[in-house]
Amino acid sequence: MAATALLILGGRPYAWLPERLEAILPAVFYLLATAPLFAAFSQEGGWLRMTGVSAVWVAIGCGWLCWLDPVFGIPCWLAVVVLGTVHFAPVGWLLARLRRRWGVDRMLWWAPVAWAGWEWARSHPPACSPWFSLGHGLWKLPVLCQLAELTGVTGLSLVMATVGAGLARLLLGRRDDRLQLAVGAGLVLGLVFYGVTRMQTIDCEAGEPVKVACVQPDVAQELKRTLDGGDMLLDVLDLTATVPQGTQLVVWPETAATLYVDSAPAKPYVAEAARDGRFTLVAGGFHRSTGEGWSPVRTNAAVIYGPDGGLLGVYNKVRLVLMGEYLPWRQYKLVRPLAEKTPQFFAGRGFLPVDTPAGRLGVAICYESVFPGDCRALTRAGAELLVVMTNDDQLQQSGAREHYQQAVFRCIENRRWMARCANGGISAVVDPLGRVTTASQWNQRTVLPGTVYRRHDRSPMVRWGEWFGAVCLLVSVAAAFWPSSPRAADPE
């Protein structure tokens, strides 16, 4: 229970506390959480014990889903709790298998590697669940996060789990073996050394500057359900008219207007806003997409207009949210009652940047920003800036802040500036070191100005991908099945 409580506390937002405590508390809670967890698994338990821990962890950690939607909120929460519990069970099985193969002492050495490999595995298909990573607790301590350009968040989680395993030895009374705790402390010092070095060598302002403004209209979700698209469009246009002169790039949030913003009746108004302000406008709305052999379909899109009012391009959201943006099997009678209450969007066909006078923009819409591979694909395709459009107000403050914190790591992994625009929630400008240079207040109606810089370099993560997590998974699974000699396992 102690581990479960600490894991839950590690994922909470602490914006109401002084900034230093907000930065340190999640890291401390996550750092301590694995100690009682690994100590418990050193004694007994496997996937069933992990199922119990994860069920409580996910149920409380994702409680904000209950308020997501009046129809699907609670069913969505229940589905996530079930799936999350299933996703966590394999690491319990793996820890138990390592304990039986190698004994308690050696299992504690393998445990951080197994945990890190499992975190990597569940962030990819079929699980696609990158939430609740230990490394995310370091988001507000940039000096500890720079290793993410090499290993992704997985490397940070490995370091934190190593410290936790060292503390687990103390809880078990194995005070003659402090080596693992010393190794964990050494790895933390290594993070500091690497972070200080990289923060001194990376010039965040190298490149052409671009003045950006994020338009945060703060239209409440309840109001969105009653407003028509025209009213929403006029509201965001009024706020866009207050953008400071000289701004080169303006970003709207996801579905700022529930209209087809690249066709009548919305297109003339949106184009005029870009032309009058003489800026590149990334407008969130709907797009009617067509393709070979396809009838016209609706996408959740970013439609980009140039300073002359001309249409520069469209990015169609690739990674759609189940029940929020699509419902499978909607043609069948049993599903049809739910389908009538569910919007139906269609996925885009690739993570493709859009060329604009403000730079080559890599757009990620909402959920896409939590997946390292999505943003990495944009950077590999030539994105000079990352633009995130989201609708975080519907996530409640807890979920929205977790969503925002994960986006910070995309900047470090890709070494790119990011302009993140939310309808409510938090809009922010983040530099390539993961430092937030400016941010809005929670659910504030505002225009957030800032400056970003176009970059062309490629980080190790962009070049090599998420190799580290895959290695951790393969090594720990291999260790779990490796034939052990009679002397390998110590008495439990």
Side-chain angles (χ1 to χ4, degrees), residues 73 120 137 154 189 256 288 304 321-323 340 367 370 388 432 460 492:
W120 173 86
T154 305
L189 290 176
R288 188 175 285 105
I304 297 97
V321 179
L322 178 64
M323 292 193 289
E340 292 173 354
Y367 194 44
V370 306
V388 174
E492 298 186 27

Side-chain angles (χ1 to χ4, degrees), residues 352-370:
L352 304 173
V354 179
D355 288 308
T356 76
R360 202 160 197 218
L361 308 181
V363 181
I365 299 178
C366 190
Y367 194 44
E368 294 173 332
S369 66
V370 306

Side-chain angles (χ1 to χ4, degrees), residues 113-424:
V113 183
W115 185 278
W118 159 77
E119 276 196 359
W120 173 86
R122 68 179 175 84
S123 66
H124 292 77
C128 289
S129 178
W131 302 76
F132 303 118
S133 170
L134 298 182
H136 290 151
L138 302 177
W139 79 279
K140 210 170 176 63
L141 297 169
V143 71
L144 297 177
C145 296
Q146 301 310 309
L147 189 70
E149 71 167 354
L150 291 173
T151 65
V153 179
T154 305
L156 308 180
S157 296
L158 175 66
V159 173
M160 298 178 76
T162 301
V163 176
L167 293 173
R169 292 182 184 275
L170 299 183
L171 291 176
L172 292 169
R174 297 171 181 265
R175 300 183 183 277
D176 57 331
D177 185 1
R178 294 188 174 89
L179 176 61
Q180 190 165 15
L181 189 57
V183 170
L187 290 175
V188 173
L189 290 176
L191 288 184
V192 174
F193 177 78
Y194 188 86
V196 169
T197 302
R198 293 301 284 153
M199 293 177 81
Q200 289 176 344
T201 56
I202 293 176
D203 182 5
C204 292
E205 297 184 0
E208 185 178 345
V210 177
K211 293 187 179 298
V212 63
C214 298
V215 177
Q216 181 169 304
D218 189 29
V219 179
Q221 192 65 20
E222 297 78 13
L223 192 57
K224 269 193 169 185
R225 296 189 184 104
T226 59
L227 286 174
D228 66 28
D231 290 336
M232 293 173 60
L233 178 63
L234 292 175
D235 181 67
V236 74
L237 286 172
D238 285 344
L239 193 56
T240 303
T242 66
V243 166
Q245 287 187 350
T247 300
Q248 299 161 275
L249 175 64
V250 173
V251 183
W252 286 2
E254 177 189 19
T255 57
T258 52
L259 294 170
Y260 292 100
V261 291
D262 60 339
S263 58
K267 181 177 180 179
Y269 295 97
V270 182
E272 183 181 7
R275 186 167 55 249
D276 289 349
R278 298 181 182 178
F279 46 62
T280 298
L281 174 59
V282 184
F286 301 157
H287 169 65
R288 188 175 285 105
S289 181
T290 58
E292 185 178 351
W294 288 68
S295 58
V297 296
R298 181 174 65 167
T299 62
N300 183 352
V303 180
I304 297 97
Y305 288 89
D308 61 354
L311 182 63
L312 298 176
V314 178
Y315 170 76
N316 296 306
K317 186 177 182 182
V318 176
R319 195 180 292 273
L320 301 180
V321 179
L322 178 64
M323 292 193 289
E325 293 173 310
Y326 78 100
L327 190 68
W329 311 303
R330 61 191 297 125
Q331 69 273 24
Y332 296 108
K333 287 184 179 180
L334 288 176
V335 181
R336 201 167 295 162
L338 290 177
E340 292 173 354
K341 295 178 171 40
T342 309
Q344 181 66 28
F345 293 92
F346 291 81
R349 299 192 175 185
F351 298 99
L352 304 173
V354 179
D355 288 308
T356 76
R360 202 160 197 218
L361 308 181
V363 181
I365 299 178
C366 190
Y367 194 44
E368 294 173 332
S369 66
V370 306
F371 293 95
D374 295 0
C375 291
R376 188 172 67 248
L378 289 166
T379 305
R380 278 181 171 172
E384 300 169 329
L385 303 169
L386 295 177
V387 173
V388 174
M389 311 165 71
T390 188
N391 209 7
D392 278 0
D393 59 302
Q394 62 185 319
L395 302 184
Q396 304 298 310
Q397 186 162 178
S398 178
R401 288 191 181 277
E402 289 180 53
H403 192 203
Y404 161 56
Q405 292 162 12
Q406 292 181 64
V408 168
F409 289 94
R410 306 295 86 82
C411 297
I412 299 171
E413 293 162 357
N414 293 274
R415 293 304 183 195
R416 289 294 185 270
W417 283 84
M418 175 187 290
R420 184 183 192 272
C421 185
N423 170 56

Side-chain angles (χ1 to χ4, degrees), residues 28-59:
V28 171
F29 285 135
Y30 271 150
L31 198 66
L32 297 176
T34 52
L37 185 71
F38 290 154
F41 274 90
S42 295
Q43 302 303 303
E44 60 181 6
W47 68 270
L48 279 175
R49 168 171 278 188
M50 195 66 217
T51 296
V53 171
S54 60
V56 178
W57 183 12
V58 177

